[in-house]
Every structure is written in structure tokens, then in C-alpha cells.
Amino acid sequence: MPVIANTVLDDPLILDGNDSFVGGQVSASRANLVPSNAYAEGKNIDLDDFGNAVTRRGAKLELGYLIWEEVAVNWEAQNALWEGLVAPITSVGYFDTGSNEYIIVADGSNYLKATTEAGVFTLLSAATYASGATVRFAQLSSRMYYADAANALRYVEGTVDPLTAEGITAGKVTSINITEGGGVYTTVPTVTIAAPSSGTTALGTAVLGYNGSVVSVTMTNEGTGYSKDAPPAVSFTAAPTDHTTATGTTNVSQTPSEPKFIVTHTNRLFATSADSTVPADTLYVSGILDGESWDLAGDNLRVGNDRDPITALMPAQNFDLYVFKERSIYKITADPTQKVSEWSISLINNRTGCVADATVQQVGADIMFLSRDGVRSLKSIQAGTETDISQPLSRNINDYIGRINQAAVGTCTAAYWRNRYFLSVPLDSATTPDTVLVYNLLANAWCGFWTGWQARDFVISAFGGKLRMNIASQTGEMLTWDDSTPEASTTTADYKDGLSTYESYIKTRAYTYGETWGDKIGYSSQFVFGNIHADAVTGDINYYKDLSASGTELEASLSIPATTNLSRKGFNMLSKGRFNQLQFKVKADSGRLALQTIQASAFGQPIDPQR
């Protein structure tokens, strides 16, 4: 560390500071133990590619949200029904029909709505769901299936315009059990299946064995409108004289009772049930490419067979489907060439589970999720042993994890986007998410906490081939994160949420100047900023002595001018008195704060043996 002579005090000048902030927020630690490239707290702070602490980008209101204050209309004189969003938006799903793309929205009106890229909302009046329910979506072919853990499985049909909502009430004949093969048939007998009271009659073709008996029936049309409680009769052409005629029984498709979690994997739907009469570890599997065809008796799996409730499902590479439970994690290899009963089920961990299904996100070849003790990585768990697993990825912000309202932990949601894991959580007494914790996977560091979004759900859209992350909010807004504009082309307007500005700040680690024993007298503090916008960035810089809770102003108003060069702000600290360690809080009221380095210097003082 450099030593600078001082002829007045005859003391060496000792230095401390941050050359970068790439270590991110480390708040679950005493401030004087935070690593040298990290900080104690960051509000609305992101990390750029150079390790600088910068204000996060804003989010725009692009998808059909009307700013009433900007519309010069006498609303009392209007007789048209308003079918916009009703707060809150509880969940969203992206629906690509091939010819059109939509975001399907479940909002506070207990109806589904669909919006196009233009932000035009269509109310799906037949698509209702239980009041206050969390709706989950899964697309299979041209249908968007949805479940609310209370009603029957339903879907939005995407082959018509405008979209329509349909219920799955019509059963299908999925297979026929041969009870008597009969024979000897010299020609393939005709299979006749009784017609339903309303719907389409099922058709099938018999398959003969080597001895001329019927060994199976191939369904050529499963039909519609059959009842699982009264399966249709099936008959075969009479066998030749003095031979036995084949017989069989039909199996009619069903749908899971009160489906709760639903995902698409290997061209099938997978669902759990909220029905209390169904074991909580039961997983149901649909037919291939057919979300209306479910064999509840034959195509179901008891994952673990221990009644540990399933809390989340996540499809992964190859045929792997990860099943998260309250206390454990399993992997199912859903090989489409095998029968469901032949699929392998393997235990990943029997001590760690997931507490909120929407927090499970695939991150490259890994999967991240929220467990009881923080954010964990499936890869690190699989790399562990039976007696030891990795520490949570969130250990550096464990103080924030500990503030999550456990009574509302099921409302937590997450997204993986642009090398960041966004975790939206309700802190303290909040009953819905009010804070987003952001993990930067390139830096392996937490950026800090972001406010203003109140994100109830996230969805990645691809309107016109443009990938965007959209945020569904508690206040009924559909926000689109404005991260696509090149940094050099941004303006101050890109650092607003809709029309609202937001503050950002960084609170540094405690600078000890390499000496934890003795007191110091400050000499100077230097802050290096960048500002690429035409507007000045205003805010405050506060300092905190010896981990005090309240700061003392260094300057009432910080102003960083617009310039293509770096701006250095320096302050004389000689008059600020003695301290052992010193923290700074650098805050911008709005706009883009870009803090590159902090350089602080002080004079070491003799140790006072008694105080």
C-alpha cells in the first residue's frame, strides 16, 4: 500500500477503497468483512461488463396498459365496456400458435385475457378461474392448457381467431383391453365401438396374432363425448363357425382432478392434483400430443411414494423431468419409446426441496430454485454427496432471504434472462412480492435488491422474433424490461419504470484502511463516475462512522455533469473527526448512476489504551 509523507503530522497516509464492484452485494456479513471488490448494499443496482456499479434499466409500459392521465377523454360519457387489466396480474404465459403470438394474462377479474404485440387485449369470457387462484399454463401443439388447482383442466384454442376457451369434458377411447382373443380368424375382424350420446364415434383396427386370435386393437380415431363412468361397448365380427368370437372392454380418457402444476415435456402434459383424495406425490401423464387424453389409472407415477407433496416440475435436457417436492428432489427419465410404468425415477436429494414452483428456472445446463434456506443450484446439489450439499447460492444475501414472509412464500416467482436470475419475493410483512433479488451469473454475484416492479410473474416473449422479458405486476401493469437498447444509445427516459423515476444507491463495505486496531482521521475521498446522458445525475453522498446506522451528509446535492469523460468528485475529510472504519452511501435520485471506483485516504492514529 502506498505511503505518502506528511510533514505536518509526520504520519503516513493509508489508503482504501474499491477498484471495482464485481463482487456484488454481500449484506449477510459484518461490513468490515465484506470482500474488497464487493459492497454492503445495492438498491436498483446492476453490474456492467466492466465491474462498475450502475443503475438498472427501467421497464416500459408497452403491452396494452393505458395511462389514464394522458388520455383526453370524458370517461363518464363513454358507454363502452373497459376490458383492460384489473390489478393484480397473478400469472402470465406466452402462447405461440404459429400464425399469431399472444401473452395470456390471468388478472384480478378472474378471467383470462390475451394481448398481441400491439397491446390489444381480448377478453376470453369463457375462460374463468377460481377467485384468487394462481393459474399455471402449458402449451401443447396449438393449445394453451391452464390449471388453477380448483377446476377441471381447460385450454385456449389457438387455431381460430379470435381465441376461444374450451373445457375438456369429452372423453376419448384411448385403448381396448382384449378379454377374449377368440379365433381362429382368417381375416381381420371389424371392430365396432358404440357411439356416444353426443360427439364422435371412436374407431379401431384389430391386430391378429399368429394363431388367428385378436391380440390388440389399434385406435385410428379415439372419438369424443364418451363418459369414463359408462365406457362404450365394443364388439368384433363373429368368428367362423365353431370358433370363439373376440371380446374386449374400452378405456375412456379422464383428466386429473383439480390440476395444480402443469408442464409440457416430451410432447406430453404432466400435471399434479390439488384434490385432497389424491396422494400429494402423484404425477399424471397425458397421451402423446394430446392434452385431452389421460389414463389416470395406468399413466400415473407415485414419485417417492412417501406423500411428500410435489411443489414444482421442471423439464430439462434429453428426457429428464425434475420433480421438486417439499423435502426432496427426484428425476424422471420420460423416454417416449417406453411405457409410463417403465420410466426410471431416481432420487437427487432427500433433504432439500422447493418452496415455490415459479422460482424454478433453467439456467443453461443448471436449474436454480428457492429452497427453505435460500436459492440453490441443482448442479451443485448433484455434485454433492449423500452427507453434504453445497451452501446456498444466496448465502451473501442471507439477511434478505431471512426476511421473506414465509406465510406468502408461495407467491415468489423468478425468471432467467440475460445471464441474470431474477427472484421476486415478499419481504417482511408484505403478502405479495415487492422486491426483486438479482443474481448475475457472469459475475457469480448478487447485484442487490430492485424495487418498483412488484412482480407477480415473468414471461419471455418473442413477438416478431424479438426476445423480451415482461413483468406482470401487482398493480395491474404489464411491463417490458428495457434492456435491448445499446447502452450508448440510451437516454434518461430508459431509466424509468413507465413514467416513474426511481432512486438507486450503493452502500460500500466498511473501509478499515488495512488497520483494524487504531483510529484514523480522514484525509480525502475520491469518487469516479461516468455519465453518458445529456442530463446531470443528482443525488447525495453520505458517510457512516464505525458501522453507525445513520449517515452524515458529505454534500447536500451531488451533481454529475453530462460528459464523455469520467467525472471525479473529491471531498476533504480532515474536519470529520476520528473513526475506526468508514462507509459511504452514494445515491442518485433518478437517472443512471455509474460508479466506477472509490479511493479513500486517512491518517492512522495512536491506539488509545483506555476509553
Side-chain angles (χ1 to χ4, degrees), residues 72-87:
V73 173
N74 180 7
W75 296 108
E76 291 81 358
Q78 302 301 307
N79 57 13
L81 293 176
W82 164 241
E83 294 180 348
L85 295 178
V86 179

PDB file of all heavy atoms in Angstrom, residues 72-87:
ATOM      1  N   ALA A  72     -57.179  12.288 -23.127  1.00  0.00           N
ATOM      2  CA  ALA A  72     -58.117  13.418 -23.023  1.00  0.00           C
ATOM      3  C   ALA A  72     -59.516  12.964 -23.428  1.00  0.00           C
ATOM      4  O   ALA A  72     -60.024  13.301 -24.497  1.00  0.00           O
ATOM      5  CB  ALA A  72     -57.643  14.570 -23.897  1.00  0.00           C
ATOM      6  N   VAL A  73     -60.124  12.149 -22.575  1.00  0.00           N
ATOM      7  CA  VAL A  73     -61.460  11.619 -22.852  1.00  0.00           C
ATOM      8  C   VAL A  73     -62.319  11.810 -21.612  1.00  0.00           C
ATOM      9  O   VAL A  73     -61.867  11.616 -20.489  1.00  0.00           O
ATOM     10  CB  VAL A  73     -61.388  10.115 -23.226  1.00  0.00           C
ATOM     11  CG1 VAL A  73     -62.797   9.525 -23.335  1.00  0.00           C
ATOM     12  CG2 VAL A  73     -60.646   9.917 -24.543  1.00  0.00           C
ATOM     13  N   ASN A  74     -63.576  12.233 -21.823  1.00  0.00           N
ATOM     14  CA  ASN A  74     -64.525  12.312 -20.723  1.00  0.00           C
ATOM     15  C   ASN A  74     -65.094  10.908 -20.513  1.00  0.00           C
ATOM     16  O   ASN A  74     -66.039  10.477 -21.170  1.00  0.00           O
ATOM     17  CB  ASN A  74     -65.650  13.296 -21.067  1.00  0.00           C
ATOM     18  CG  ASN A  74     -66.656  13.408 -19.934  1.00  0.00           C
ATOM     19  OD1 ASN A  74     -66.473  12.862 -18.855  1.00  0.00           O
ATOM     20  ND2 ASN A  74     -67.736  14.142 -20.201  1.00  0.00           N
ATOM     21  N   TRP A  75     -64.473  10.152 -19.573  1.00  0.00           N
ATOM     22  CA  TRP A  75     -64.830   8.740 -19.415  1.00  0.00           C
ATOM     23  C   TRP A  75     -66.274   8.568 -18.956  1.00  0.00           C
ATOM     24  O   TRP A  75     -66.921   7.569 -19.283  1.00  0.00           O
ATOM     25  CB  TRP A  75     -63.886   8.073 -18.410  1.00  0.00           C
ATOM     26  CG  TRP A  75     -62.484   8.048 -18.904  1.00  0.00           C
ATOM     27  CD1 TRP A  75     -61.429   8.795 -18.466  1.00  0.00           C
ATOM     28  CD2 TRP A  75     -61.966   7.255 -19.977  1.00  0.00           C
ATOM     29  NE1 TRP A  75     -60.296   8.511 -19.191  1.00  0.00           N
ATOM     30  CE2 TRP A  75     -60.598   7.572 -20.120  1.00  0.00           C
ATOM     31  CE3 TRP A  75     -62.527   6.317 -20.838  1.00  0.00           C
ATOM     32  CZ2 TRP A  75     -59.786   6.970 -21.078  1.00  0.00           C
ATOM     33  CZ3 TRP A  75     -61.706   5.715 -21.790  1.00  0.00           C
ATOM     34  CH2 TRP A  75     -60.365   6.046 -21.908  1.00  0.00           C
ATOM     35  N   GLU A  76     -66.807   9.519 -18.227  1.00  0.00           N
ATOM     36  CA  GLU A  76     -68.186   9.389 -17.770  1.00  0.00           C
ATOM     37  C   GLU A  76     -69.181   9.375 -18.941  1.00  0.00           C
ATOM     38  O   GLU A  76     -70.295   8.869 -18.815  1.00  0.00           O
ATOM     39  CB  GLU A  76     -68.547  10.536 -16.814  1.00  0.00           C
ATOM     40  CG  GLU A  76     -67.819  10.478 -15.471  1.00  0.00           C
ATOM     41  CD  GLU A  76     -66.406  11.036 -15.550  1.00  0.00           C
ATOM     42  OE1 GLU A  76     -65.974  11.426 -16.653  1.00  0.00           O
ATOM     43  OE2 GLU A  76     -65.734  11.074 -14.509  1.00  0.00           O
ATOM     44  N   ALA A  77     -68.749   9.919 -20.077  1.00  0.00           N
ATOM     45  CA  ALA A  77     -69.646   9.990 -21.227  1.00  0.00           C
ATOM     46  C   ALA A  77     -69.546   8.762 -22.119  1.00  0.00           C
ATOM     47  O   ALA A  77     -70.253   8.657 -23.117  1.00  0.00           O
ATOM     48  CB  ALA A  77     -69.335  11.250 -22.045  1.00  0.00           C
ATOM     49  N   GLN A  78     -68.678   7.839 -21.776  1.00  0.00           N
ATOM     50  CA  GLN A  78     -68.471   6.656 -22.600  1.00  0.00           C
ATOM     51  C   GLN A  78     -69.406   5.532 -22.168  1.00  0.00           C
ATOM     52  O   GLN A  78     -69.621   5.313 -20.979  1.00  0.00           O
ATOM     53  CB  GLN A  78     -67.018   6.181 -22.498  1.00  0.00           C
ATOM     54  CG  GLN A  78     -65.995   7.236 -22.900  1.00  0.00           C
ATOM     55  CD  GLN A  78     -66.193   7.700 -24.328  1.00  0.00           C
ATOM     56  OE1 GLN A  78     -66.248   6.897 -25.247  1.00  0.00           O
ATOM     57  NE2 GLN A  78     -66.335   9.006 -24.501  1.00  0.00           N
ATOM     58  N   ASN A  79     -69.952   4.813 -23.156  1.00  0.00           N
ATOM     59  CA  ASN A  79     -70.816   3.676 -22.844  1.00  0.00           C
ATOM     60  C   ASN A  79     -70.174   2.346 -23.220  1.00  0.00           C
ATOM     61  O   ASN A  79     -70.807   1.311 -23.171  1.00  0.00           O
ATOM     62  CB  ASN A  79     -72.176   3.806 -23.549  1.00  0.00           C
ATOM     63  CG  ASN A  79     -72.027   3.946 -25.064  1.00  0.00           C
ATOM     64  OD1 ASN A  79     -70.956   3.720 -25.602  1.00  0.00           O
ATOM     65  ND2 ASN A  79     -73.110   4.320 -25.725  1.00  0.00           N
ATOM     66  N   ALA A  80     -68.896   2.386 -23.598  1.00  0.00           N
ATOM     67  CA  ALA A  80     -68.179   1.155 -23.944  1.00  0.00           C
ATOM     68  C   ALA A  80     -67.619   0.505 -22.676  1.00  0.00           C
ATOM     69  O   ALA A  80     -67.278   1.188 -21.712  1.00  0.00           O
ATOM     70  CB  ALA A  80     -67.039   1.464 -24.922  1.00  0.00           C
ATOM     71  N   LEU A  81     -67.571  -0.824 -22.702  1.00  0.00           N
ATOM     72  CA  LEU A  81     -67.006  -1.548 -21.565  1.00  0.00           C
ATOM     73  C   LEU A  81     -65.494  -1.526 -21.645  1.00  0.00           C
ATOM     74  O   LEU A  81     -64.894  -1.767 -22.696  1.00  0.00           O
ATOM     75  CB  LEU A  81     -67.510  -3.000 -21.566  1.00  0.00           C
ATOM     76  CG  LEU A  81     -69.002  -3.198 -21.303  1.00  0.00           C
ATOM     77  CD1 LEU A  81     -69.350  -4.677 -21.428  1.00  0.00           C
ATOM     78  CD2 LEU A  81     -69.373  -2.703 -19.920  1.00  0.00           C
ATOM     79  N   TRP A  82     -64.866  -1.263 -20.515  1.00  0.00           N
ATOM     80  CA  TRP A  82     -63.402  -1.303 -20.457  1.00  0.00           C
ATOM     81  C   TRP A  82     -62.977  -2.724 -20.122  1.00  0.00           C
ATOM     82  O   TRP A  82     -63.353  -3.287 -19.097  1.00  0.00           O
ATOM     83  CB  TRP A  82     -62.882  -0.334 -19.395  1.00  0.00           C
ATOM     84  CG  TRP A  82     -61.451  -0.578 -19.013  1.00  0.00           C
ATOM     85  CD1 TRP A  82     -60.978  -0.904 -17.785  1.00  0.00           C
ATOM     86  CD2 TRP A  82     -60.312  -0.502 -19.872  1.00  0.00           C
ATOM     87  NE1 TRP A  82     -59.616  -1.053 -17.814  1.00  0.00           N
ATOM     88  CE2 TRP A  82     -59.174  -0.809 -19.081  1.00  0.00           C
ATOM     89  CE3 TRP A  82     -60.123  -0.221 -21.219  1.00  0.00           C
ATOM     90  CZ2 TRP A  82     -57.879  -0.834 -19.602  1.00  0.00           C
ATOM     91  CZ3 TRP A  82     -58.836  -0.247 -21.740  1.00  0.00           C
ATOM     92  CH2 TRP A  82     -57.740  -0.542 -20.933  1.00  0.00           C
ATOM     93  N   GLU A  83     -62.201  -3.325 -21.023  1.00  0.00           N
ATOM     94  CA  GLU A  83     -61.749  -4.697 -20.825  1.00  0.00           C
ATOM     95  C   GLU A  83     -60.234  -4.741 -20.693  1.00  0.00           C
ATOM     96  O   GLU A  83     -59.556  -5.622 -21.196  1.00  0.00           O
ATOM     97  CB  GLU A  83     -62.214  -5.585 -21.969  1.00  0.00           C
ATOM     98  CG  GLU A  83     -63.728  -5.745 -22.015  1.00  0.00           C
ATOM     99  CD  GLU A  83     -64.193  -6.626 -23.151  1.00  0.00           C
ATOM    100  OE1 GLU A  83     -63.371  -6.928 -24.033  1.00  0.00           O
ATOM    101  OE2 GLU A  83     -65.355  -7.006 -23.173  1.00  0.00           O
ATOM    102  N   GLY A  84     -59.687  -3.745 -20.044  1.00  0.00           N
ATOM    103  CA  GLY A  84     -58.254  -3.728 -19.807  1.00  0.00           C
ATOM    104  C   GLY A  84     -57.897  -4.608 -18.630  1.00  0.00           C
ATOM    105  O   GLY A  84     -58.631  -5.488 -18.224  1.00  0.00           O
ATOM    106  N   LEU A  85     -56.747  -4.364 -18.048  1.00  0.00           N
ATOM    107  CA  LEU A  85     -56.282  -5.187 -16.942  1.00  0.00           C
ATOM    108  C   LEU A  85     -56.868  -4.705 -15.628  1.00  0.00           C
ATOM    109  O   LEU A  85     -57.079  -3.523 -15.419  1.00  0.00           O
ATOM    110  CB  LEU A  85     -54.754  -5.140 -16.878  1.00  0.00           C
ATOM    111  CG  LEU A  85     -54.040  -5.751 -18.082  1.00  0.00           C
ATOM    112  CD1 LEU A  85     -52.542  -5.596 -17.936  1.00  0.00           C
ATOM    113  CD2 LEU A  85     -54.404  -7.199 -18.250  1.00  0.00           C
ATOM    114  N   VAL A  86     -57.121  -5.651 -14.766  1.00  0.00           N
ATOM    115  CA  VAL A  86     -57.604  -5.373 -13.421  1.00  0.00           C
ATOM    116  C   VAL A  86     -56.552  -5.897 -12.453  1.00  0.00           C
ATOM    117  O   VAL A  86     -56.192  -7.063 -12.496  1.00  0.00           O
ATOM    118  CB  VAL A  86     -58.958  -6.050 -13.158  1.00  0.00           C
ATOM    119  CG1 VAL A  86     -59.436  -5.767 -11.744  1.00  0.00           C
ATOM    120  CG2 VAL A  86     -59.991  -5.580 -14.179  1.00  0.00           C
ATOM    121  N   ALA A  87     -56.039  -5.025 -11.596  1.00  0.00           N
ATOM    122  CA  ALA A  87     -54.977  -5.428 -10.681  1.00  0.00           C
ATOM    123  C   ALA A  87     -55.489  -6.483  -9.710  1.00  0.00           C
ATOM    124  O   ALA A  87     -56.639  -6.440  -9.293  1.00  0.00           O
ATOM    125  CB  ALA A  87     -54.467  -4.204  -9.920  1.00  0.00           C
TER     126      ALA A  87
END
